[in-house]
Amino acid sequence: MRLRKQALGSRNLIGVRVEEARKKKGMKQKELLAQLQVNGVDMNASGLSKLEGQIRYVTDVELVALADILEVSVDYLLGREEKK
């Protein structure tokens, strides 16, 4: 497992929880990217890495797609509720 080289950013609230939920599902970034594409969200590996590192902003469309794919609520990704 690779360790993050850069410190976490402050451009989104969901990055840490996206990474946590993805890993809990045993999903690689490539697999998440493929699922995003199926759901109409065009994102590349660099974009996902930056999203998880809280270095890039997240659109509302991306937020909803990520919640659906990772089977968590939008509120969970935003840190408004704990994982059930």
Side-chain angles (χ1 to χ4, degrees), residues 2-83:
R2 292 177 49 186
L3 297 175
R4 185 174 313 283
K5 292 180 183 176
Q6 258 184 324
L8 289 175
S10 60
R11 295 203 172 153
N12 71 55
L13 298 172
I14 73 165
V16 171
R17 290 205 173 195
V18 167
E19 182 177 17
E20 178 183 286
R22 174 180 62 77
K23 287 180 177 178
K24 191 164 190 169
K25 288 182 70 73
M27 186 180 282
K28 295 183 185 281
Q29 281 187 338
K30 267 186 172 179
E31 295 166 323
L32 179 53
L33 286 168
Q35 287 297 312
L36 285 167
Q37 296 237 335
V38 167
N39 283 276
V41 175
D42 188 27
M43 188 183 299
N44 61 26
S46 175
L48 180 56
S49 181
K50 288 177 181 177
L51 183 151
E52 288 184 351
Q54 298 176 296
I55 298 169
R56 90 184 257 291
Y57 295 108
V58 181
T59 68
D60 54 352
V61 173
E62 292 169 341
L63 177 63
V64 170
L66 286 163
D68 289 347
I69 293 163
L70 297 171
E71 298 176 326
V72 297
S73 69
V74 169
D75 278 342
Y76 170 75
L77 290 179
L78 291 171
R80 296 174 56 140
E81 71 179 39
E82 292 300 313
K83 176 107 172 132

